[in-house]
Protein backbone atom coordinates (compact mmCIF):
# COMPACT_ATOMS: atom_id res chain seq x y z
CA UNK A 1 0.00 0.00 0.00
CA UNK A 2 1.36 3.40 -0.94
CA UNK A 3 2.31 5.91 1.72
CA UNK A 4 -0.19 8.51 0.47
CA UNK A 5 -3.07 6.00 0.37
CA UNK A 6 -2.21 4.72 3.85
CA UNK A 7 -2.06 8.28 5.22
CA UNK A 8 -5.39 9.12 3.57
CA UNK A 9 -7.05 6.11 5.23
CA UNK A 10 -5.59 7.12 8.59
CA UNK A 11 -6.63 10.78 8.28
CA UNK A 12 -10.18 9.98 7.23
CA UNK A 13 -10.93 7.57 10.05
CA UNK A 14 -13.75 8.73 12.31
CA UNK A 15 -11.58 8.95 15.43
CA UNK A 16 -9.10 11.32 13.81
CA UNK A 17 -11.86 13.61 12.56
CA UNK A 18 -13.58 13.55 15.97
CA UNK A 19 -10.28 14.44 17.62
CA UNK A 20 -9.73 17.35 15.21
CA UNK A 21 -13.19 18.73 15.98
CA UNK A 22 -12.50 18.28 19.71
CA UNK A 23 -9.21 20.19 19.48
CA UNK A 24 -10.86 23.08 17.63
CA UNK A 25 -13.79 23.27 20.06
CA UNK A 26 -11.37 22.90 22.99
CA UNK A 27 -9.37 25.89 21.76
CA UNK A 28 -12.50 28.01 21.53
CA UNK A 29 -13.63 26.78 24.95
CA UNK A 30 -10.23 27.73 26.38
CA UNK A 31 -10.63 31.28 25.06
CA UNK A 32 -14.08 31.54 26.64
CA UNK A 33 -12.78 30.33 30.00
CA UNK A 34 -9.74 32.63 29.79
CA UNK A 35 -12.06 35.56 29.18
CA UNK A 36 -14.24 34.46 32.09
CA UNK A 37 -11.21 34.39 34.37
CA UNK A 38 -9.59 37.63 33.14
CA UNK A 39 -12.70 39.74 32.63
CA UNK A 40 -15.10 38.53 35.32
CA UNK A 41 -13.51 36.40 38.06
CA UNK A 42 -10.17 38.19 38.52
CA UNK A 43 -11.78 41.65 38.85
CA UNK A 44 -14.06 40.19 41.54
CA UNK A 45 -11.05 38.62 43.28
CA UNK A 46 -9.25 41.95 42.97
CA UNK A 47 -12.23 43.72 44.52
CA UNK A 48 -12.29 41.20 47.39
CA UNK A 49 -8.53 41.60 47.98
CA UNK A 50 -8.61 45.39 48.15
CA UNK A 51 -7.91 46.24 44.52
CA UNK A 52 -4.96 43.93 43.90
CA UNK A 53 -4.25 43.59 40.17
CA UNK A 54 -2.92 40.03 39.83
CA UNK A 55 -1.70 40.58 36.26
CA UNK A 56 0.64 43.29 37.57
CA UNK A 57 2.22 41.29 40.41
CA UNK A 58 5.90 40.65 39.71
CA UNK A 59 9.38 40.82 41.16
CA UNK A 60 11.82 42.71 38.94
CA UNK A 61 15.40 41.40 38.72
CA UNK A 62 16.93 44.06 36.50
CA UNK A 63 17.06 47.83 36.48
CA UNK A 64 14.23 49.84 34.95
CA UNK A 65 15.40 51.32 31.65
CA UNK A 66 15.02 55.07 31.35
CA UNK A 67 11.58 56.12 30.09
CA UNK A 68 9.91 52.76 30.83
CA UNK A 69 6.96 52.60 33.21
CA UNK A 70 7.21 50.35 36.26
CA UNK A 71 4.40 47.96 35.25
CA UNK A 72 4.41 44.40 33.98
CA UNK A 73 3.46 45.09 30.36
CA UNK A 74 6.01 47.90 29.85
CA UNK A 75 8.83 46.03 31.57
CA UNK A 76 8.12 42.84 29.64
CA UNK A 77 8.16 44.76 26.37
CA UNK A 78 11.48 46.35 27.38
CA UNK A 79 12.93 42.88 28.06
CA UNK A 80 13.51 43.35 31.79
CA UNK A 81 13.96 40.07 33.67
CA UNK A 82 11.02 39.48 36.04
CA UNK A 83 9.36 36.81 38.13
CA UNK A 84 5.68 37.27 37.15
CA UNK A 85 3.89 35.38 39.91
CA UNK A 86 0.60 37.27 39.32
CA UNK A 87 0.26 35.85 35.80
CA UNK A 88 1.05 32.42 37.25
CA UNK A 89 -1.73 32.77 39.85
CA UNK A 90 -4.13 33.82 37.09
CA UNK A 91 -3.16 30.78 34.98
CA UNK A 92 -3.72 28.46 37.96
CA UNK A 93 -7.22 29.88 38.44
CA UNK A 94 -7.77 29.50 34.68
CA UNK A 95 -6.74 25.84 34.84
CA UNK A 96 -8.93 25.11 37.87
CA UNK A 97 -12.00 26.57 36.17
CA UNK A 98 -11.35 24.60 32.96
CA UNK A 99 -10.85 21.42 34.99
CA UNK A 100 -14.10 22.07 36.90
CA UNK A 101 -16.04 22.65 33.66
CA UNK A 102 -14.68 19.47 32.09
CA UNK A 103 -15.44 17.51 35.26
CA UNK A 104 -19.04 18.76 35.29
CA UNK A 105 -19.48 17.94 31.58
CA UNK A 106 -18.12 14.41 31.99
CA UNK A 107 -20.24 13.88 35.11
CA UNK A 108 -23.37 14.94 33.19
CA UNK A 109 -22.47 12.69 30.24
CA UNK A 110 -21.88 9.73 32.57
CA UNK A 111 -25.23 10.36 34.24
CA UNK A 112 -27.00 10.40 30.86
CA UNK A 113 -25.27 7.22 29.68
CA UNK A 114 -26.09 5.51 32.99
CA UNK A 115 -29.80 6.30 32.51
CA UNK A 116 -29.67 4.79 29.03
CA UNK A 117 -28.00 1.65 30.40
CA UNK A 118 -30.61 1.27 33.15
CA UNK A 119 -33.55 1.23 30.73
CA UNK A 120 -34.68 -2.39 30.43
CA UNK A 121 -34.49 -3.98 27.04
CA UNK A 122 -37.92 -4.71 25.53
CA UNK A 123 -39.11 -8.30 25.79
CA UNK A 124 -38.20 -10.20 22.64
CA UNK A 125 -41.08 -11.21 20.38
CA UNK A 126 -41.92 -14.88 20.94
CA UNK A 127 -40.97 -17.19 18.10
CA UNK A 128 -43.60 -18.91 15.95
CA UNK A 129 -42.95 -22.13 17.84
CA UNK A 130 -43.57 -20.48 21.22
CA UNK A 131 -46.81 -18.90 19.90
CA UNK A 132 -48.04 -22.29 18.68
CA UNK A 133 -47.22 -23.93 22.03
CA UNK A 134 -49.09 -21.12 23.81
CA UNK A 135 -52.17 -21.68 21.65
CA UNK A 136 -52.07 -25.43 22.37
CA UNK A 137 -51.80 -24.71 26.10
CA UNK A 138 -54.77 -22.33 25.92
CA UNK A 139 -56.85 -24.92 24.00
CA UNK A 140 -56.03 -27.62 26.58
CA UNK A 141 -57.11 -25.27 29.41
CA UNK A 142 -60.46 -24.64 27.68
CA UNK A 143 -61.24 -28.40 27.41
CA UNK A 144 -60.84 -28.99 31.15
Amino acid sequence: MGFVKEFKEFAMKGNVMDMAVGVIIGGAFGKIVSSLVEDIIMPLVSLATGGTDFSNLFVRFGEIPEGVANNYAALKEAGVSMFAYGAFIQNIIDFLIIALCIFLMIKAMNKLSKKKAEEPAPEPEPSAEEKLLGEIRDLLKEKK
Side-chain angles (χ1 to χ4, degrees), residues 98-113:
I98 290 172
L100 176 67
C101 291
I102 291 172
F103 170 74
L104 293 175
M105 284 177 26
I106 290 173
K107 188 174 180 176
M109 289 173 57
N110 286 342
K111 196 172 191 177
L112 288 174
S113 66

Side-chain angles (χ1 to χ4, degrees), residues 18-70:
D18 290 344
M19 184 180 71
V21 169
V23 167
I24 292 168
I25 290 175
F29 183 71
K31 287 181 182 180
I32 291 170
V33 173
S34 293
S35 176
L36 174 71
V37 171
E38 288 178 28
D39 302 329
I40 296 173
I41 293 176
M42 291 312 287
L44 293 174
V45 170
S46 176
L47 183 67
T49 59
T52 304
D53 179 12
F54 280 88
S55 64
N56 206 27
L57 295 177
F58 62 91
V59 174
R60 182 176 29 85
F61 296 129
E63 293 295 319
I64 301 174
E66 193 171 313
V68 176
N70 188 21

